[in-house]
CSV table of all heavy atoms in Angstrom, one decimal:
chain,number,residue,atom,x,y,z
J,55,CYS,N,8.8,-5.0,-21.8
J,55,CYS,CA,8.5,-6.3,-22.3
J,55,CYS,C,8.3,-6.2,-23.8
J,55,CYS,O,7.8,-5.2,-24.3
J,55,CYS,CB,7.1,-6.8,-21.7
J,55,CYS,SG,7.2,-7.0,-19.9
J,56,ARG,N,8.8,-7.2,-24.5
J,56,ARG,CA,8.7,-7.2,-26.0
J,56,ARG,C,8.6,-8.6,-26.5
J,56,ARG,O,9.0,-9.6,-25.9
J,56,ARG,CB,9.8,-6.5,-26.6
J,56,ARG,CG,11.1,-7.2,-26.5
J,56,ARG,CD,12.3,-6.5,-27.1
J,56,ARG,NE,13.5,-7.2,-27.2
J,56,ARG,CZ,14.7,-6.8,-27.6
J,56,ARG,NH1,14.8,-5.5,-28.0
J,56,ARG,NH2,15.7,-7.6,-27.6
J,57,ALA,N,8.0,-8.7,-27.7
J,57,ALA,CA,7.9,-10.0,-28.4
J,57,ALA,C,9.3,-10.3,-29.0
J,57,ALA,O,9.8,-9.4,-29.7
J,57,ALA,CB,6.8,-10.0,-29.4
J,58,GLU,N,9.8,-11.5,-28.9
J,58,GLU,CA,11.1,-11.8,-29.4
J,58,GLU,C,11.2,-11.6,-30.9
J,58,GLU,O,12.2,-11.0,-31.4
J,58,GLU,CB,11.4,-13.3,-29.1
J,58,GLU,CG,12.8,-13.7,-29.6
J,58,GLU,CD,12.8,-15.2,-29.9
J,58,GLU,OE1,11.8,-15.9,-29.9
J,58,GLU,OE2,14.0,-15.7,-30.0
J,59,LYS,N,10.2,-12.0,-31.6
J,59,LYS,CA,10.2,-11.9,-33.1
J,59,LYS,C,9.8,-10.5,-33.6
J,59,LYS,O,10.0,-10.2,-34.8
J,59,LYS,CB,9.3,-13.0,-33.8
J,59,LYS,CG,9.7,-14.4,-33.4
J,59,LYS,CD,10.5,-15.0,-34.5
J,59,LYS,CE,10.7,-16.5,-34.3
J,59,LYS,NZ,12.0,-16.9,-34.3
J,60,PHE,N,9.2,-9.7,-32.8
J,60,PHE,CA,8.8,-8.4,-33.2
J,60,PHE,C,9.2,-7.3,-32.1
J,60,PHE,O,8.4,-6.7,-31.5
J,60,PHE,CB,7.2,-8.4,-33.3
J,60,PHE,CG,6.7,-9.4,-34.2
J,60,PHE,CD1,6.2,-10.7,-33.7
J,60,PHE,CD2,6.6,-9.3,-35.6
J,60,PHE,CE1,5.8,-11.6,-34.5
J,60,PHE,CE2,6.1,-10.3,-36.4
J,60,PHE,CZ,5.7,-11.4,-35.8
J,61,PRO,N,10.6,-7.2,-32.0
J,61,PRO,CA,11.1,-6.3,-30.9
J,61,PRO,C,10.7,-4.8,-31.0
J,61,PRO,O,10.7,-4.2,-30.0
J,61,PRO,CB,12.6,-6.5,-31.0
J,61,PRO,CG,12.8,-7.0,-32.3
J,61,PRO,CD,11.6,-7.8,-32.8
J,62,SER,N,10.4,-4.4,-32.2
J,62,SER,CA,10.2,-2.9,-32.4
J,62,SER,C,8.7,-2.6,-32.3
J,62,SER,O,8.3,-1.4,-32.3
J,62,SER,CB,10.8,-2.4,-33.7
J,62,SER,OG,10.2,-3.1,-34.8
J,63,GLN,N,7.8,-3.6,-32.2
J,63,GLN,CA,6.4,-3.3,-32.1
J,63,GLN,C,5.9,-3.4,-30.7
J,63,GLN,O,6.4,-4.3,-29.9
J,63,GLN,CB,5.6,-4.4,-32.9
J,63,GLN,CG,5.8,-4.2,-34.4
J,63,GLN,CD,4.8,-5.0,-35.2
J,63,GLN,OE1,5.1,-6.2,-35.4
J,63,GLN,NE2,3.7,-4.5,-35.6
J,64,SER,N,5.0,-2.5,-30.3
J,64,SER,CA,4.5,-2.5,-29.0
J,64,SER,C,3.5,-3.8,-28.8
J,64,SER,O,3.0,-4.2,-29.8
J,64,SER,CB,3.7,-1.3,-28.7
J,64,SER,OG,2.4,-1.3,-29.4
J,65,ILE,N,3.4,-4.2,-27.6
J,65,ILE,CA,2.6,-5.4,-27.3
J,65,ILE,C,1.1,-5.1,-27.7
J,65,ILE,O,0.4,-5.9,-28.2
J,65,ILE,CB,2.7,-5.8,-25.9
J,65,ILE,CG1,4.1,-6.4,-25.6
J,65,ILE,CG2,1.6,-6.9,-25.5
J,65,ILE,CD1,4.4,-6.8,-24.2
J,66,ALA,N,0.7,-3.9,-27.5
J,66,ALA,CA,-0.7,-3.4,-27.9
J,66,ALA,C,-0.9,-3.6,-29.4
J,66,ALA,O,-2.0,-4.1,-29.8
J,66,ALA,CB,-0.9,-2.0,-27.4
J,67,ASP,N,0.1,-3.3,-30.2
J,67,ASP,CA,0.0,-3.4,-31.6
J,67,ASP,C,0.0,-4.9,-32.1
J,67,ASP,O,-0.5,-5.2,-33.2
J,67,ASP,CB,1.1,-2.7,-32.3
J,67,ASP,CG,1.0,-1.2,-32.2
J,67,ASP,OD1,-0.1,-0.7,-31.8
J,67,ASP,OD2,2.0,-0.5,-32.4
J,68,LEU,N,0.4,-5.8,-31.2
J,68,LEU,CA,0.5,-7.2,-31.6
J,68,LEU,C,-0.9,-7.9,-31.4
J,68,LEU,O,-1.1,-9.0,-31.9
J,68,LEU,CB,1.5,-7.9,-30.8
J,68,LEU,CG,3.0,-7.5,-31.0
J,68,LEU,CD1,3.9,-8.2,-30.1
J,68,LEU,CD2,3.4,-7.7,-32.4
J,69,GLY,N,-1.8,-7.2,-30.7
J,69,GLY,CA,-3.1,-7.8,-30.4
J,69,GLY,C,-3.2,-9.0,-29.5
J,69,GLY,O,-4.0,-9.8,-29.5
J,70,GLN,N,-2.2,-9.0,-28.6
J,70,GLN,CA,-2.2,-10.1,-27.6
J,70,GLN,C,-2.5,-9.5,-26.2
J,70,GLN,O,-2.1,-8.4,-25.9
J,70,GLN,CB,-0.8,-10.8,-27.6
J,70,GLN,CG,-0.6,-11.6,-28.9
J,70,GLN,CD,0.0,-12.9,-28.6
J,70,GLN,OE1,1.0,-13.0,-28.0
J,70,GLN,NE2,-0.5,-13.9,-29.3
J,71,LYS,N,-3.1,-10.4,-25.4
J,71,LYS,CA,-3.4,-9.9,-24.0
J,71,LYS,C,-2.2,-10.5,-23.2
J,71,LYS,O,-2.0,-11.7,-23.0
J,71,LYS,CB,-4.7,-10.6,-23.5
J,71,LYS,CG,-5.1,-10.1,-22.1
J,71,LYS,CD,-6.4,-10.7,-21.7
J,71,LYS,CE,-6.7,-10.3,-20.2
J,71,LYS,NZ,-7.8,-11.0,-19.7
J,72,VAL,N,-1.5,-9.5,-22.6
J,72,VAL,CA,-0.2,-9.8,-21.9
J,72,VAL,C,-0.2,-9.0,-20.6
J,72,VAL,O,-0.5,-7.8,-20.7
J,72,VAL,CB,1.0,-9.6,-22.7
J,72,VAL,CG1,2.3,-9.7,-22.0
J,72,VAL,CG2,1.0,-10.4,-24.0
J,73,GLU,N,0.2,-9.5,-19.5
J,73,GLU,CA,0.4,-8.8,-18.3
J,73,GLU,C,1.9,-8.6,-18.1
J,73,GLU,O,2.7,-9.5,-18.2
J,73,GLU,CB,-0.1,-9.6,-17.1
J,73,GLU,CG,0.1,-8.9,-15.8
J,73,GLU,CD,-0.4,-9.8,-14.6
J,73,GLU,OE1,-1.2,-10.6,-14.8
J,73,GLU,OE2,0.1,-9.6,-13.5
J,74,CYS,N,2.3,-7.3,-18.0
J,74,CYS,CA,3.7,-7.0,-17.9
J,74,CYS,C,3.9,-6.0,-16.8
J,74,CYS,O,3.4,-4.8,-16.9
J,74,CYS,CB,4.3,-6.4,-19.2
J,74,CYS,SG,6.0,-5.9,-19.1
J,75,ASN,N,4.4,-6.3,-15.6
J,75,ASN,CA,4.5,-5.4,-14.5
J,75,ASN,C,5.7,-5.7,-13.5
J,75,ASN,O,6.2,-6.8,-13.6
J,75,ASN,CB,3.2,-5.3,-13.7
J,75,ASN,CG,2.8,-6.5,-13.0
J,75,ASN,OD1,3.6,-7.1,-12.2
J,75,ASN,ND2,1.6,-7.1,-13.3
J,76,VAL,N,6.0,-4.7,-12.7
J,76,VAL,CA,7.1,-4.8,-11.8
J,76,VAL,C,6.9,-5.7,-10.7
J,76,VAL,O,7.9,-6.1,-9.9
J,76,VAL,CB,7.6,-3.4,-11.3
J,76,VAL,CG1,8.1,-2.5,-12.4
J,76,VAL,CG2,6.5,-2.7,-10.5
J,77,ASN,N,5.7,-6.2,-10.4
J,77,ASN,CA,5.4,-7.1,-9.3
J,77,ASN,C,5.6,-8.5,-9.6
J,77,ASN,O,6.1,-9.3,-8.8
J,77,ASN,CB,4.0,-6.9,-8.8
J,77,ASN,CG,3.8,-5.5,-8.3
J,77,ASN,OD1,4.6,-4.9,-7.6
J,77,ASN,ND2,2.7,-4.9,-8.7
J,78,THR,N,5.3,-8.9,-10.9
J,78,THR,CA,5.4,-10.3,-11.3
J,78,THR,C,6.3,-10.6,-12.4
J,78,THR,O,6.8,-11.7,-12.6
J,78,THR,CB,4.0,-11.0,-11.5
J,78,THR,OG1,3.4,-10.2,-12.6
J,78,THR,CG2,3.1,-11.0,-10.3
J,79,GLY,N,6.5,-9.7,-13.3
J,79,GLY,CA,7.2,-9.9,-14.6
J,79,GLY,C,6.2,-9.9,-15.7
J,79,GLY,O,5.2,-9.2,-15.7
J,80,LEU,N,6.3,-10.9,-16.6
J,80,LEU,CA,5.4,-11.0,-17.8
J,80,LEU,C,4.7,-12.3,-17.7
J,80,LEU,O,5.2,-13.4,-17.5
J,80,LEU,CB,6.2,-11.0,-19.1
J,80,LEU,CG,5.3,-11.1,-20.4
J,80,LEU,CD1,5.7,-10.1,-21.4
J,80,LEU,CD2,5.4,-12.5,-20.9
J,81,ILE,N,3.4,-12.3,-17.9
J,81,ILE,CA,2.5,-13.4,-18.0
J,81,ILE,C,1.6,-13.4,-19.3
J,81,ILE,O,1.0,-12.3,-19.5
J,81,ILE,CB,1.6,-13.6,-16.8
J,81,ILE,CG1,2.4,-13.8,-15.5
J,81,ILE,CG2,0.6,-14.7,-16.9
J,81,ILE,CD1,1.7,-13.7,-14.2
J,82,CYS,N,1.7,-14.4,-20.1
J,82,CYS,CA,0.8,-14.5,-21.3
J,82,CYS,C,0.2,-15.9,-21.2
J,82,CYS,O,0.9,-16.9,-21.3
J,82,CYS,CB,1.7,-14.3,-22.5
J,82,CYS,SG,0.7,-14.4,-24.0
J,83,ASN,N,-1.1,-16.0,-21.2
J,83,ASN,CA,-1.8,-17.2,-21.2
J,83,ASN,C,-2.4,-17.5,-22.6
J,83,ASN,O,-3.1,-16.6,-23.2
J,83,ASN,CB,-3.0,-17.2,-20.1
J,83,ASN,CG,-2.4,-17.1,-18.7
J,83,ASN,OD1,-1.6,-17.9,-18.3
J,83,ASN,ND2,-2.9,-16.1,-18.0
J,84,ASN,N,-2.1,-18.7,-23.1
J,84,ASN,CA,-2.7,-19.0,-24.4
J,84,ASN,C,-4.2,-18.9,-24.5
J,84,ASN,O,-4.8,-18.4,-25.4
J,84,ASN,CB,-2.3,-20.5,-24.8
J,84,ASN,CG,-0.8,-20.6,-25.2
J,84,ASN,OD1,-0.2,-19.6,-25.5
J,84,ASN,ND2,-0.3,-21.9,-25.1
J,85,LYS,N,-4.9,-19.3,-23.4
J,85,LYS,CA,-6.3,-19.3,-23.3
J,85,LYS,C,-6.9,-17.9,-23.4
J,85,LYS,O,-8.1,-17.7,-23.8
J,85,LYS,CB,-6.9,-20.0,-22.1
J,85,LYS,CG,-6.5,-19.3,-20.8
J,85,LYS,CD,-6.9,-20.0,-19.6
J,85,LYS,CE,-6.5,-19.4,-18.3
J,85,LYS,NZ,-6.7,-20.1,-17.1
J,86,ASP,N,-6.1,-16.8,-23.2
J,86,ASP,CA,-6.6,-15.4,-23.2
J,86,ASP,C,-6.4,-14.8,-24.6
J,86,ASP,O,-6.8,-13.7,-24.9
J,86,ASP,CB,-5.8,-14.5,-22.2
J,86,ASP,CG,-6.0,-14.9,-20.8
J,86,ASP,OD1,-7.1,-15.5,-20.5
J,86,ASP,OD2,-5.2,-14.6,-20.0
J,87,GLN,N,-5.8,-15.5,-25.6
J,87,GLN,CA,-5.5,-15.0,-26.9
J,87,GLN,C,-6.7,-15.2,-27.9
J,87,GLN,O,-7.3,-16.3,-27.8
J,87,GLN,CB,-4.2,-15.5,-27.4
J,87,GLN,CG,-3.0,-15.4,-26.5
J,87,GLN,CD,-2.9,-14.0,-25.9
J,87,GLN,OE1,-3.0,-13.0,-26.5
J,87,GLN,NE2,-2.7,-14.0,-24.5
J,88,GLN,N,-6.9,-14.3,-28.8
J,88,GLN,CA,-7.9,-14.4,-29.8
J,88,GLN,C,-7.3,-14.8,-31.1
J,88,GLN,O,-6.1,-14.5,-31.4
J,88,GLN,CB,-8.7,-13.1,-30.0
J,88,GLN,CG,-9.3,-12.6,-28.7
J,88,GLN,CD,-10.4,-13.5,-28.2
J,88,GLN,OE1,-11.2,-14.0,-29.0
J,88,GLN,NE2,-10.5,-13.7,-26.9
J,89,ILE,N,-8.0,-15.5,-32.0
J,89,ILE,CA,-7.5,-15.8,-33.3
J,89,ILE,C,-7.4,-14.4,-34.1
J,89,ILE,O,-8.3,-13.6,-34.0
J,89,ILE,CB,-8.5,-16.7,-34.1
J,89,ILE,CG1,-8.5,-18.1,-33.4
J,89,ILE,CG2,-8.1,-16.9,-35.5
J,89,ILE,CD1,-9.5,-19.1,-33.9
J,90,GLY,N,-6.4,-14.3,-34.8
J,90,GLY,CA,-6.1,-13.0,-35.5
J,90,GLY,C,-4.9,-12.3,-34.9
J,90,GLY,O,-4.0,-12.9,-34.3
J,91,GLY,N,-4.8,-11.0,-35.2
J,91,GLY,CA,-3.7,-10.3,-34.7
J,91,GLY,C,-2.5,-10.6,-35.6
J,91,GLY,O,-2.6,-10.9,-36.8
J,92,ILE,N,-1.3,-10.6,-35.0
J,92,ILE,CA,0.0,-10.8,-35.8
J,92,ILE,C,0.2,-12.3,-36.2
J,92,ILE,O,0.8,-12.5,-37.2
J,92,ILE,CB,1.1,-10.3,-35.0
J,92,ILE,CG1,2.3,-10.0,-35.9
J,92,ILE,CG2,1.6,-11.1,-33.9
J,92,ILE,CD1,2.6,-8.5,-36.1
J,93,ILE,N,-0.4,-13.2,-35.5
J,93,ILE,CA,-0.3,-14.6,-35.9
J,93,ILE,C,-1.7,-15.2,-36.0
J,93,ILE,O,-2.6,-14.8,-35.2
J,93,ILE,CB,0.6,-15.4,-34.9
J,93,ILE,CG1,0.1,-15.3,-33.5
J,93,ILE,CG2,2.0,-15.0,-35.0
J,93,ILE,CD1,0.8,-16.2,-32.5
J,94,PRO,N,-1.9,-16.2,-36.9
J,94,PRO,CA,-3.2,-16.7,-37.1
J,94,PRO,C,-3.7,-17.7,-36.0
J,94,PRO,O,-4.8,-18.2,-36.0
J,94,PRO,CB,-3.1,-17.4,-38.4
J,94,PRO,CG,-1.7,-17.8,-38.6
J,94,PRO,CD,-0.9,-16.7,-37.8
J,95,MET,N,-2.8,-18.0,-35.0
J,95,MET,CA,-3.2,-19.0,-34.0
J,95,MET,C,-3.4,-18.3,-32.7
J,95,MET,O,-2.8,-17.3,-32.4
J,95,MET,CB,-2.0,-20.0,-33.8
J,95,MET,CG,-1.6,-20.8,-35.0
J,95,MET,SD,-2.9,-22.0,-35.5
J,95,MET,CE,-2.7,-23.1,-34.2
J,96,PRO,N,-4.4,-18.8,-31.8
J,96,PRO,CA,-4.7,-18.1,-30.6
J,96,PRO,C,-3.7,-18.6,-29.5
J,96,PRO,O,-4.1,-19.3,-28.5
J,96,PRO,CB,-6.1,-18.6,-30.3
J,96,PRO,CG,-6.2,-19.9,-30.9
J,96,PRO,CD,-5.3,-19.9,-32.1
J,97,VAL,N,-2.4,-18.4,-29.7
J,97,VAL,CA,-1.4,-18.7,-28.7
J,97,VAL,C,-0.5,-17.5,-28.5
J,97,VAL,O,-0.4,-16.6,-29.3
J,97,VAL,CB,-0.5,-19.9,-29.2
J,97,VAL,CG1,-1.3,-21.2,-29.3
J,97,VAL,CG2,0.2,-19.6,-30.5
J,98,CYS,N,0.2,-17.5,-27.4
J,98,CYS,CA,1.2,-16.4,-27.0
J,98,CYS,C,2.4,-16.5,-27.9
J,98,CYS,O,2.9,-17.6,-28.3
J,98,CYS,CB,1.6,-16.6,-25.6
J,98,CYS,SG,0.3,-16.4,-24.4
J,99,LEU,N,2.9,-15.3,-28.3
J,99,LEU,CA,4.2,-15.2,-28.9
J,99,LEU,C,5.2,-15.5,-27.8
J,99,LEU,O,4.9,-15.5,-26.6
J,99,LEU,CB,4.4,-13.8,-29.4
J,99,LEU,CG,3.5,-13.4,-30.6
J,99,LEU,CD1,3.5,-11.9,-30.8
J,99,LEU,CD2,3.9,-14.1,-31.9
J,100,ASN,N,6.5,-15.6,-28.2
J,100,ASN,CA,7.5,-15.7,-27.2
J,100,ASN,C,8.0,-14.3,-26.8
J,100,ASN,O,8.4,-13.5,-27.7
J,100,ASN,CB,8.7,-16.5,-27.8
J,100,ASN,CG,9.8,-16.8,-26.7
J,100,ASN,OD1,9.5,-17.1,-25.6
J,100,ASN,ND2,11.0,-16.6,-27.1
J,101,TYR,N,7.9,-14.0,-25.5
J,101,TYR,CA,8.2,-12.7,-25.1
J,101,TYR,C,9.6,-12.7,-24.3
J,101,TYR,O,10.0,-13.8,-23.8
J,101,TYR,CB,7.1,-12.1,-24.1
J,101,TYR,CG,5.9,-11.8,-24.9
J,101,TYR,CD1,4.8,-12.7,-25.1
J,101,TYR,CD2,5.7,-10.6,-25.6
J,101,TYR,CE1,3.7,-12.4,-25.8
J,101,TYR,CE2,4.6,-10.2,-26.3
J,101,TYR,CZ,3.6,-11.2,-26.4
J,101,TYR,OH,2.5,-10.8,-27.1
């Protein structure tokens, strides 16, 4: 799994809470994101 705009950075380095696994795929909920990190808004990046 990777962020579309930041393909070479790990998800952990982006500061977003994201679920990425072989059972479901990728899930990122806006409500789980904190202000800060790579973007100033508490929303998911496009993965």
